[in-house]
């Protein structure tokens, strides 16, 4: 059993297919890694902004409590203060 022309062409084509597959899969893998990194960075930025907003809100509540002003989200707080008049 010898190496004829068709066997050599077959091996060469298999080698070419292997290199093409490795090239395209590496390229796709790099793009997927870049997208994953970008998504993770975006999530980290959102979480940092949320943490900063939560800290600011907590500080605002602590400041309002220290000043003796009840925290009211409806805006009717002033209507409940004062004396009753008829």
């Amino acid at each position: 059993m010898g190496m004829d022309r068709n066997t050599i062409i077959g091996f060469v084509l298999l080698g070419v297919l292997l290199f093409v597959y490795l090239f395209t899969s590496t390229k796709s893998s790099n793009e997927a890694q870049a997208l994953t990194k970008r998504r993770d960075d975006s999530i980290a930025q959102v979480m940092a902004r949320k943490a900063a907003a939560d800290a600011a809100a907590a500080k605002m509540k602590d400041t309002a409590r220290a000043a003796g002003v009840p925290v009211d989200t409806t805006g009717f707080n002033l209507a409940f203060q004062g004396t009753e008049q008829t």
Side-chain angles (χ1 to χ4, degrees):
M1 186 144 104
M3 295 280 286
D4 63 344
R5 183 174 156 222
N6 291 336
T7 306
I8 294 173
I9 291 174
F11 279 126
V12 170
L13 287 176
L14 284 174
V16 169
L17 287 175
L18 176 68
F19 284 117
V20 168
Y21 172 74
L22 290 175
F23 178 75
T24 57
S25 67
T26 303
K27 188 176 179 181
S28 299
S29 176
N30 289 339
E31 290 173 358
Q33 284 178 344
L35 288 175
T36 303
K37 183 177 180 343
R38 183 176 177 195
R39 186 193 68 215
D40 292 343
D41 289 344
S42 298
I43 291 171
Q45 285 179 351
V46 168
M47 295 303 287
R49 287 182 190 156
K50 185 177 183 309
D54 290 345
K59 184 176 180 183
M60 186 71 120
K61 284 184 181 180
D62 289 343
T63 304
R65 285 188 190 134
V69 177
V71 177
D72 183 26
T73 58
T74 60
F76 289 108
N77 223 9
L78 294 175
F80 294 122
Q81 295 177 354
T83 58
E84 183 179 349
Q85 298 176 355
T86 52

